[in-house]
Amino acid sequence: MAASLLRLHFHDCFVNGCDGSVLLDGGEKNALPNLNSARGFEIIDSIKSNLEKACPGVVSCTDVLTLAAREAVYLTGGPYWSLAFGRRDGLTTSETAANEQLPGPFEPLDNITRKFAAKGLDTKDVVVLSGGHTLGFAQCGVFAGSGRPDPSLDASFLQSLQSTCPNRNESNSNLAPLDASSSKFDNVYYKLLVNSSGLLRSDQALMSDNVTGSMVVGYSKFPFLFYKDFGASMVKMAGIGVITGSNGDVRKNCRVVN
């Protein structure tokens, strides 16, 4: 579940800030980027339930999710980074905002960079946080739904994808690994991009630009540089639009407002 927890945190922070809104039933859960693909809610529920027994009303669902994402990375071999706590939970969730603000797998690099910039994240953060795709799988419908292969892909890699994802509706939910070691946090993701073997079009697009492409090459050669920069970018992301003080809530149940 490591990839799912990391993705939940990312999807939370990118929609109106890190406020636990992706955990509320309805709203963002029904948006296209989350519907039938966002997972890990039960894990957050379980952690929150234990916390409420030990210290009721103290730790927000937003902080739980932020911490869970870090532990997911660390326990799969990735870096550890220090986090500040005290985030409060938001009171609303918006399907429309999620559809508009989350970067999509078919979007051009310029669009994705603009969406990151709107959250105070720069081009380096785009390249670094995309490295989270070293974990997990993607459904065929996400990267092969159009039936038109990415022309920049390596031919043998494309052939293997076409066997996993024949261009039929019933194969849309088939899963393909995002990189060759999809349960381990490492820098293989970047090595695959250098070899024109990125699964998502939005990932492989990083090689189409001189600035982002040179960063990809750097991270493919120096894993510890990637680890250091990933932790720094995650800290930046975990600070997007946070609610503190007496605003918002500390939810008793992450799925509903108090």
Side-chain angles (χ1 to χ4, degrees), residues 156-212:
S156 60
F157 177 62
L158 178 60
Q159 200 171 4
S160 75
L161 280 186
Q162 285 169 332
S163 65
T164 304
C165 302
N167 192 25
R168 296 194 296 267
N169 283 341
E170 61 268 26
S171 70
N172 278 348
S173 59
N174 289 1
L175 293 174
L178 283 162
D179 87 5
S181 55
S182 58
S183 61
K184 186 174 188 301
F185 195 97
D186 53 29
N187 70 330
V188 169
Y189 163 85
Y190 295 107
K191 294 178 180 179
L192 292 175
L193 295 188
V194 170
N195 292 328
S196 302
S197 301
L199 186 66
L200 302 183
R201 191 176 289 242
S202 54
D203 286 336
Q204 194 58 51
L206 293 173
M207 290 301 292
S208 66
D209 175 89
N210 287 340
V211 174
T212 58

Short mmCIF file of all heavy atoms in Angstrom, two decimals, residues 156-212:
data_model
loop_
_atom_site.label_atom_id
_atom_site.label_comp_id
_atom_site.label_asym_id
_atom_site.label_seq_id
_atom_site.Cartn_x
_atom_site.Cartn_y
_atom_site.Cartn_z
N SER A 156 10.89 -2.34 -27.59
CA SER A 156 10.67 -3.59 -26.85
C SER A 156 9.79 -3.35 -25.63
O SER A 156 8.96 -4.19 -25.26
CB SER A 156 12.00 -4.23 -26.44
OG SER A 156 12.73 -3.36 -25.61
N PHE A 157 9.96 -2.18 -25.00
CA PHE A 157 9.11 -1.83 -23.86
C PHE A 157 7.66 -1.68 -24.32
O PHE A 157 6.73 -2.17 -23.68
CB PHE A 157 9.60 -0.52 -23.22
CG PHE A 157 8.75 -0.03 -22.08
CD1 PHE A 157 8.59 -0.78 -20.92
CD2 PHE A 157 8.09 1.19 -22.17
CE1 PHE A 157 7.80 -0.33 -19.87
CE2 PHE A 157 7.31 1.65 -21.12
CZ PHE A 157 7.16 0.89 -19.97
N LEU A 158 7.46 -1.04 -25.47
CA LEU A 158 6.12 -0.86 -26.02
C LEU A 158 5.46 -2.21 -26.29
O LEU A 158 4.28 -2.42 -25.99
CB LEU A 158 6.21 -0.04 -27.31
CG LEU A 158 4.89 0.22 -28.06
CD1 LEU A 158 3.91 0.97 -27.16
CD2 LEU A 158 5.15 1.00 -29.33
N GLN A 159 6.23 -3.15 -26.83
CA GLN A 159 5.70 -4.48 -27.13
C GLN A 159 5.22 -5.18 -25.86
O GLN A 159 4.15 -5.79 -25.83
CB GLN A 159 6.79 -5.31 -27.82
CG GLN A 159 6.25 -6.48 -28.60
CD GLN A 159 7.35 -7.14 -29.43
OE1 GLN A 159 8.52 -6.77 -29.36
NE2 GLN A 159 6.98 -8.13 -30.21
N SER A 160 5.99 -5.07 -24.78
CA SER A 160 5.60 -5.71 -23.53
C SER A 160 4.34 -5.07 -22.96
O SER A 160 3.48 -5.74 -22.40
CB SER A 160 6.74 -5.68 -22.51
OG SER A 160 6.89 -4.39 -21.96
N LEU A 161 4.22 -3.73 -23.12
CA LEU A 161 3.02 -3.04 -22.65
C LEU A 161 1.79 -3.48 -23.42
O LEU A 161 0.71 -3.63 -22.86
CB LEU A 161 3.19 -1.52 -22.79
CG LEU A 161 3.98 -0.78 -21.73
CD1 LEU A 161 3.90 0.72 -21.97
CD2 LEU A 161 3.51 -1.11 -20.34
N GLN A 162 1.96 -3.67 -24.73
CA GLN A 162 0.81 -4.03 -25.56
C GLN A 162 0.29 -5.42 -25.22
O GLN A 162 -0.89 -5.70 -25.38
CB GLN A 162 1.18 -3.92 -27.05
CG GLN A 162 1.24 -2.46 -27.49
CD GLN A 162 1.85 -2.26 -28.87
OE1 GLN A 162 2.68 -3.06 -29.31
NE2 GLN A 162 1.47 -1.19 -29.53
N SER A 163 1.16 -6.30 -24.70
CA SER A 163 0.67 -7.61 -24.28
C SER A 163 -0.09 -7.51 -22.95
O SER A 163 -1.06 -8.22 -22.72
CB SER A 163 1.83 -8.60 -24.16
OG SER A 163 2.71 -8.21 -23.13
N THR A 164 0.37 -6.59 -22.06
CA THR A 164 -0.36 -6.37 -20.79
C THR A 164 -1.66 -5.63 -21.03
O THR A 164 -2.68 -5.89 -20.39
CB THR A 164 0.51 -5.54 -19.82
OG1 THR A 164 1.76 -6.19 -19.63
CG2 THR A 164 -0.17 -5.38 -18.46
N CYS A 165 -1.63 -4.70 -21.98
CA CYS A 165 -2.76 -3.81 -22.23
C CYS A 165 -3.21 -3.87 -23.69
O CYS A 165 -2.99 -2.93 -24.46
CB CYS A 165 -2.39 -2.37 -21.90
SG CYS A 165 -1.84 -2.11 -20.22
N PRO A 166 -3.81 -5.00 -24.11
CA PRO A 166 -4.37 -5.00 -25.46
C PRO A 166 -5.46 -3.92 -25.53
O PRO A 166 -6.10 -3.63 -24.52
CB PRO A 166 -4.96 -6.40 -25.59
CG PRO A 166 -5.16 -6.88 -24.19
CD PRO A 166 -4.10 -6.23 -23.37
N ASN A 167 -5.63 -3.33 -26.68
CA ASN A 167 -6.54 -2.17 -26.78
C ASN A 167 -8.00 -2.61 -26.76
O ASN A 167 -8.72 -2.53 -27.75
CB ASN A 167 -6.21 -1.37 -28.05
CG ASN A 167 -6.91 -0.02 -28.05
OD1 ASN A 167 -7.22 0.51 -26.99
ND2 ASN A 167 -7.17 0.52 -29.22
N ARG A 168 -8.42 -3.11 -25.57
CA ARG A 168 -9.81 -3.54 -25.39
C ARG A 168 -10.31 -2.98 -24.06
O ARG A 168 -9.54 -2.86 -23.10
CB ARG A 168 -9.90 -5.07 -25.34
CG ARG A 168 -9.49 -5.76 -26.63
CD ARG A 168 -9.94 -7.22 -26.62
NE ARG A 168 -9.27 -7.97 -25.56
CZ ARG A 168 -8.15 -8.66 -25.75
NH1 ARG A 168 -7.55 -8.67 -26.92
NH2 ARG A 168 -7.61 -9.34 -24.75
N ASN A 169 -11.60 -2.68 -24.02
CA ASN A 169 -12.16 -2.07 -22.80
C ASN A 169 -11.94 -2.93 -21.57
O ASN A 169 -11.67 -2.42 -20.48
CB ASN A 169 -13.66 -1.80 -22.97
CG ASN A 169 -13.92 -0.57 -23.83
OD1 ASN A 169 -13.04 0.25 -23.99
ND2 ASN A 169 -15.11 -0.47 -24.39
N GLU A 170 -12.06 -4.26 -21.73
CA GLU A 170 -11.96 -5.13 -20.56
C GLU A 170 -10.55 -5.17 -19.98
O GLU A 170 -10.35 -5.64 -18.86
CB GLU A 170 -12.44 -6.55 -20.89
CG GLU A 170 -11.65 -7.27 -21.97
CD GLU A 170 -12.24 -7.07 -23.37
OE1 GLU A 170 -12.92 -6.05 -23.60
OE2 GLU A 170 -12.00 -7.94 -24.22
N SER A 171 -9.56 -4.66 -20.72
CA SER A 171 -8.19 -4.65 -20.18
C SER A 171 -7.85 -3.33 -19.49
O SER A 171 -6.74 -3.18 -18.98
CB SER A 171 -7.17 -4.93 -21.30
OG SER A 171 -7.11 -3.84 -22.19
N ASN A 172 -8.78 -2.38 -19.46
CA ASN A 172 -8.48 -1.06 -18.89
C ASN A 172 -8.08 -1.10 -17.43
O ASN A 172 -7.36 -0.24 -16.95
CB ASN A 172 -9.68 -0.11 -19.06
CG ASN A 172 -9.71 0.50 -20.45
OD1 ASN A 172 -8.76 0.39 -21.20
ND2 ASN A 172 -10.82 1.13 -20.79
N SER A 173 -8.58 -2.11 -16.70
CA SER A 173 -8.24 -2.18 -15.27
C SER A 173 -7.02 -3.08 -15.00
O SER A 173 -6.62 -3.24 -13.86
CB SER A 173 -9.44 -2.69 -14.47
OG SER A 173 -9.83 -3.97 -14.93
N ASN A 174 -6.44 -3.66 -16.04
CA ASN A 174 -5.19 -4.42 -15.86
C ASN A 174 -4.11 -3.49 -15.30
O ASN A 174 -4.09 -2.30 -15.61
CB ASN A 174 -4.70 -5.01 -17.20
CG ASN A 174 -5.59 -6.14 -17.69
OD1 ASN A 174 -6.57 -6.49 -17.07
ND2 ASN A 174 -5.23 -6.71 -18.84
N LEU A 175 -3.20 -4.07 -14.53
CA LEU A 175 -2.16 -3.26 -13.88
C LEU A 175 -0.79 -3.52 -14.50
O LEU A 175 -0.44 -4.66 -14.80
CB LEU A 175 -2.10 -3.56 -12.38
CG LEU A 175 -3.31 -3.15 -11.54
CD1 LEU A 175 -3.15 -3.66 -10.12
CD2 LEU A 175 -3.50 -1.65 -11.54
N ALA A 176 -0.03 -2.45 -14.66
CA ALA A 176 1.37 -2.56 -15.08
C ALA A 176 2.22 -1.82 -14.07
O ALA A 176 1.83 -0.76 -13.57
CB ALA A 176 1.56 -1.96 -16.47
N PRO A 177 3.41 -2.36 -13.71
CA PRO A 177 4.26 -1.69 -12.73
C PRO A 177 4.81 -0.37 -13.27
O PRO A 177 5.15 -0.27 -14.45
CB PRO A 177 5.40 -2.69 -12.48
CG PRO A 177 5.41 -3.58 -13.68
CD PRO A 177 4.00 -3.62 -14.20
N LEU A 178 4.85 0.65 -12.41
CA LEU A 178 5.36 1.96 -12.82
C LEU A 178 6.87 1.92 -13.05
O LEU A 178 7.40 2.72 -13.82
CB LEU A 178 5.01 3.02 -11.77
CG LEU A 178 3.54 3.50 -11.82
CD1 LEU A 178 3.16 4.18 -10.53
CD2 LEU A 178 3.32 4.42 -12.99
N ASP A 179 7.57 1.02 -12.35
CA ASP A 179 8.96 0.77 -12.73
C ASP A 179 9.31 -0.69 -12.44
O ASP A 179 8.47 -1.45 -11.95
CB ASP A 179 9.94 1.78 -12.12
CG ASP A 179 10.45 1.45 -10.72
OD1 ASP A 179 10.15 0.35 -10.21
OD2 ASP A 179 11.17 2.28 -10.14
N ALA A 180 10.53 -1.08 -12.76
CA ALA A 180 10.90 -2.50 -12.69
C ALA A 180 11.02 -3.03 -11.27
O ALA A 180 11.13 -4.24 -11.07
CB ALA A 180 12.20 -2.71 -13.45
N SER A 181 11.04 -2.15 -10.27
CA SER A 181 11.11 -2.58 -8.86
C SER A 181 10.03 -1.84 -8.10
O SER A 181 10.29 -1.04 -7.21
CB SER A 181 12.50 -2.28 -8.28
OG SER A 181 12.81 -0.89 -8.44
N SER A 182 8.78 -2.12 -8.46
CA SER A 182 7.65 -1.26 -8.05
C SER A 182 7.28 -1.34 -6.57
O SER A 182 6.45 -0.58 -6.10
CB SER A 182 6.42 -1.59 -8.89
OG SER A 182 6.09 -2.95 -8.74
N SER A 183 7.90 -2.28 -5.81
CA SER A 183 7.63 -2.31 -4.37
C SER A 183 8.79 -1.75 -3.56
O SER A 183 8.79 -1.79 -2.34
CB SER A 183 7.33 -3.75 -3.92
OG SER A 183 8.45 -4.58 -4.19
N LYS A 184 9.79 -1.21 -4.25
CA LYS A 184 10.98 -0.67 -3.58
C LYS A 184 11.20 0.78 -4.01
O LYS A 184 11.11 1.10 -5.19
CB LYS A 184 12.20 -1.52 -3.96
CG LYS A 184 13.47 -1.15 -3.22
CD LYS A 184 14.58 -2.15 -3.55
CE LYS A 184 15.82 -1.94 -2.69
NZ LYS A 184 16.41 -0.60 -2.81
N PHE A 185 11.44 1.64 -3.03
CA PHE A 185 11.72 3.04 -3.34
C PHE A 185 13.19 3.16 -3.75
O PHE A 185 14.09 2.92 -2.94
CB PHE A 185 11.42 3.94 -2.14
CG PHE A 185 11.35 5.40 -2.48
CD1 PHE A 185 10.15 6.02 -2.71
CD2 PHE A 185 12.53 6.15 -2.61
CE1 PHE A 185 10.08 7.37 -3.05
CE2 PHE A 185 12.48 7.50 -2.96
CZ PHE A 185 11.25 8.11 -3.18
N ASP A 186 13.44 3.47 -5.01
CA ASP A 186 14.80 3.59 -5.53
C ASP A 186 14.79 4.57 -6.70
O ASP A 186 13.80 5.27 -6.91
CB ASP A 186 15.35 2.21 -5.94
CG ASP A 186 14.43 1.48 -6.91
OD1 ASP A 186 13.70 2.16 -7.67
OD2 ASP A 186 14.42 0.23 -6.90
N ASN A 187 15.87 4.61 -7.47
CA ASN A 187 15.94 5.55 -8.59
C ASN A 187 15.78 4.88 -9.95
O ASN A 187 16.10 5.45 -10.98
CB ASN A 187 17.25 6.35 -8.54
CG ASN A 187 18.46 5.50 -8.89
OD1 ASN A 187 18.46 4.29 -8.62
ND2 ASN A 187 19.49 6.10 -9.46
N VAL A 188 15.25 3.65 -9.95
CA VAL A 188 15.05 2.92 -11.21
C VAL A 188 14.11 3.67 -12.15
O VAL A 188 14.28 3.64 -13.37
CB VAL A 188 14.54 1.48 -10.93
CG1 VAL A 188 14.08 0.79 -12.21
CG2 VAL A 188 15.64 0.67 -10.26
N TYR A 189 13.15 4.36 -11.57
CA TYR A 189 12.20 5.18 -12.37
C TYR A 189 12.96 6.09 -13.34
O TYR A 189 12.63 6.17 -14.53
CB TYR A 189 11.34 5.99 -11.40
CG TYR A 189 10.60 7.16 -12.00
CD1 TYR A 189 9.36 6.99 -12.60
CD2 TYR A 189 11.13 8.45 -11.92
CE1 TYR A 189 8.67 8.08 -13.14
CE2 TYR A 189 10.45 9.54 -12.45
CZ TYR A 189 9.21 9.34 -13.06
OH TYR A 189 8.54 10.42 -13.58
N TYR A 190 13.98 6.76 -12.84
CA TYR A 190 14.74 7.69 -13.69
C TYR A 190 15.57 6.95 -14.74
O TYR A 190 15.72 7.41 -15.87
CB TYR A 190 15.64 8.58 -12.82
CG TYR A 190 14.87 9.49 -11.91
CD1 TYR A 190 14.80 9.25 -10.55
CD2 TYR A 190 14.17 10.59 -12.42
CE1 TYR A 190 14.07 10.09 -9.70
CE2 TYR A 190 13.45 11.44 -11.58
CZ TYR A 190 13.39 11.18 -10.23
OH TYR A 190 12.67 12.00 -9.41
N LYS A 191 16.10 5.79 -14.37
CA LYS A 191 16.86 5.00 -15.33
C LYS A 191 15.97 4.57 -16.50
O LYS A 191 16.41 4.55 -17.66
CB LYS A 191 17.46 3.76 -14.65
CG LYS A 191 18.52 4.11 -13.61
CD LYS A 191 19.05 2.85 -12.93
CE LYS A 191 20.10 3.19 -11.89
NZ LYS A 191 20.61 2.00 -11.21
N LEU A 192 14.72 4.24 -16.19
CA LEU A 192 13.78 3.84 -17.25
C LEU A 192 13.46 5.01 -18.17
O LEU A 192 13.35 4.85 -19.39
CB LEU A 192 12.49 3.28 -16.63
CG LEU A 192 12.64 1.95 -15.90
CD1 LEU A 192 11.34 1.55 -15.23
CD2 LEU A 192 13.08 0.84 -16.86
N LEU A 193 13.30 6.20 -17.60
CA LEU A 193 13.03 7.38 -18.44
C LEU A 193 14.19 7.64 -19.40
O LEU A 193 13.98 7.96 -20.57
CB LEU A 193 12.78 8.62 -17.58
CG LEU A 193 11.54 8.62 -16.67
CD1 LEU A 193 11.34 10.00 -16.05
CD2 LEU A 193 10.29 8.22 -17.42
N VAL A 194 15.41 7.50 -18.90
CA VAL A 194 16.60 7.71 -19.74
C VAL A 194 16.59 6.70 -20.90
O VAL A 194 17.01 7.02 -22.01
CB VAL A 194 17.89 7.58 -18.90
CG1 VAL A 194 19.13 7.55 -19.79
CG2 VAL A 194 17.99 8.73 -17.91
N ASN A 195 16.05 5.49 -20.64
CA ASN A 195 15.99 4.44 -21.66
C ASN A 195 14.67 4.47 -22.44
O ASN A 195 14.30 3.47 -23.08
CB ASN A 195 16.17 3.06 -21.02
CG ASN A 195 17.57 2.86 -20.48
OD1 ASN A 195 18.52 3.41 -21.04
ND2 ASN A 195 17.71 2.10 -19.41
N SER A 196 13.94 5.59 -22.38
CA SER A 196 12.66 5.74 -23.10
C SER A 196 11.66 4.66 -22.72
O SER A 196 10.91 4.16 -23.57
CB SER A 196 12.89 5.73 -24.62
OG SER A 196 13.76 6.76 -24.99
N SER A 197 11.62 4.30 -21.43
CA SER A 197 10.73 3.24 -20.97
C SER A 197 9.86 3.69 -19.81
O SER A 197 9.54 2.91 -18.90
CB SER A 197 11.54 2.00 -20.56
OG SER A 197 12.29 1.52 -21.65
N GLY A 198 9.45 4.97 -19.81
CA GLY A 198 8.54 5.48 -18.78
C GLY A 198 7.13 5.04 -19.07
O GLY A 198 6.68 5.09 -20.21
N LEU A 199 6.42 4.60 -18.04
CA LEU A 199 5.07 4.05 -18.26
C LEU A 199 4.06 5.13 -18.64
O LEU A 199 3.28 4.97 -19.57
CB LEU A 199 4.62 3.31 -17.00
CG LEU A 199 3.29 2.56 -17.13
CD1 LEU A 199 3.40 1.41 -18.12
CD2 LEU A 199 2.84 2.02 -15.77
N LEU A 200 4.07 6.23 -17.90
CA LEU A 200 3.08 7.29 -18.14
C LEU A 200 3.65 8.32 -19.11
O LEU A 200 4.82 8.71 -19.02
CB LEU A 200 2.69 7.99 -16.84
CG LEU A 200 2.11 7.10 -15.73
CD1 LEU A 200 1.70 7.96 -14.53
CD2 LEU A 200 0.92 6.29 -16.22
N ARG A 201 2.81 8.78 -20.00
CA ARG A 201 3.24 9.79 -20.98
C ARG A 201 3.77 11.03 -20.26
O ARG A 201 4.75 11.64 -20.69
CB ARG A 201 2.06 10.16 -21.88
CG ARG A 201 2.42 10.98 -23.08
CD ARG A 201 1.20 11.22 -23.96
NE ARG A 201 0.78 10.03 -24.64
CZ ARG A 201 0.76 9.89 -25.96
NH1 ARG A 201 1.15 10.87 -26.73
NH2 ARG A 201 0.33 8.78 -26.51
N SER A 202 3.11 11.41 -19.15
CA SER A 202 3.53 12.60 -18.40
C SER A 202 4.91 12.40 -17.77
O SER A 202 5.64 13.36 -17.54
CB SER A 202 2.50 12.93 -17.32
OG SER A 202 2.27 11.80 -16.49
N ASP A 203 5.27 11.15 -17.47
CA ASP A 203 6.61 10.86 -16.93
C ASP A 203 7.66 10.94 -18.04
O ASP A 203 8.67 11.62 -17.89
CB ASP A 203 6.64 9.46 -16.30
CG ASP A 203 5.92 9.40 -14.97
OD1 ASP A 203 5.81 10.45 -14.32
OD2 ASP A 203 5.48 8.31 -14.57
N GLN A 204 7.41 10.24 -19.14
CA GLN A 204 8.39 10.22 -20.23
C GLN A 204 8.61 11.62 -20.79
O GLN A 204 9.68 11.95 -21.29
CB GLN A 204 7.93 9.25 -21.34
CG GLN A 204 9.03 8.91 -22.34
CD GLN A 204 10.26 8.30 -21.70
OE1 GLN A 204 10.18 7.34 -20.93
NE2 GLN A 204 11.44 8.85 -21.99
N ALA A 205 7.58 12.50 -20.66
CA ALA A 205 7.70 13.88 -21.16
C ALA A 205 8.81 14.65 -20.46
O ALA A 205 9.31 15.64 -21.00
CB ALA A 205 6.36 14.61 -20.97
N LEU A 206 9.23 14.21 -19.28
CA LEU A 206 10.32 14.88 -18.57
C LEU A 206 11.61 14.86 -19.40
O LEU A 206 12.46 15.73 -19.26
CB LEU A 206 10.57 14.23 -17.21
CG LEU A 206 9.47 14.36 -16.16
CD1 LEU A 206 9.80 13.51 -14.94
CD2 LEU A 206 9.25 15.81 -15.76
N MET A 207 11.73 13.88 -20.29
CA MET A 207 12.93 13.77 -21.12
C MET A 207 12.85 14.66 -22.37
O MET A 207 13.83 14.80 -23.10
CB MET A 207 13.15 12.32 -21.55
CG MET A 207 13.58 11.40 -20.42
SD MET A 207 15.11 11.92 -19.60
CE MET A 207 16.32 11.65 -20.91
N SER A 208 11.70 15.27 -22.60
CA SER A 208 11.53 16.07 -23.82
C SER A 208 12.01 17.51 -23.64
O SER A 208 12.04 18.29 -24.58
CB SER A 208 10.05 16.09 -24.23
OG SER A 208 9.28 16.78 -23.25
N ASP A 209 12.38 17.86 -22.42
CA ASP A 209 12.81 19.22 -22.10
C ASP A 209 14.26 19.16 -21.59
O ASP A 209 14.61 18.28 -20.81
CB ASP A 209 11.87 19.80 -21.02
CG ASP A 209 12.31 21.16 -20.53
OD1 ASP A 209 11.89 22.15 -21.13
OD2 ASP A 209 13.07 21.22 -19.54
N ASN A 210 15.09 20.10 -22.04
CA ASN A 210 16.51 20.06 -21.67
C ASN A 210 16.74 20.18 -20.17
O ASN A 210 17.58 19.49 -19.59
CB ASN A 210 17.28 21.19 -22.38
CG ASN A 210 17.46 20.90 -23.85
OD1 ASN A 210 17.36 19.76 -24.28
ND2 ASN A 210 17.71 21.94 -24.64
N VAL A 211 15.97 21.06 -19.52
CA VAL A 211 16.16 21.30 -18.08
C VAL A 211 15.73 20.08 -17.27
O VAL A 211 16.49 19.54 -16.46
CB VAL A 211 15.38 22.55 -17.62
CG1 VAL A 211 15.46 22.71 -16.11
CG2 VAL A 211 15.92 23.79 -18.32
N THR A 212 14.49 19.62 -17.50
CA THR A 212 14.00 18.47 -16.73
C THR A 212 14.75 17.19 -17.12
O THR A 212 15.04 16.34 -16.27
CB THR A 212 12.48 18.28 -16.91
OG1 THR A 212 12.18 18.12 -18.31
CG2 THR A 212 11.71 19.47 -16.37
#
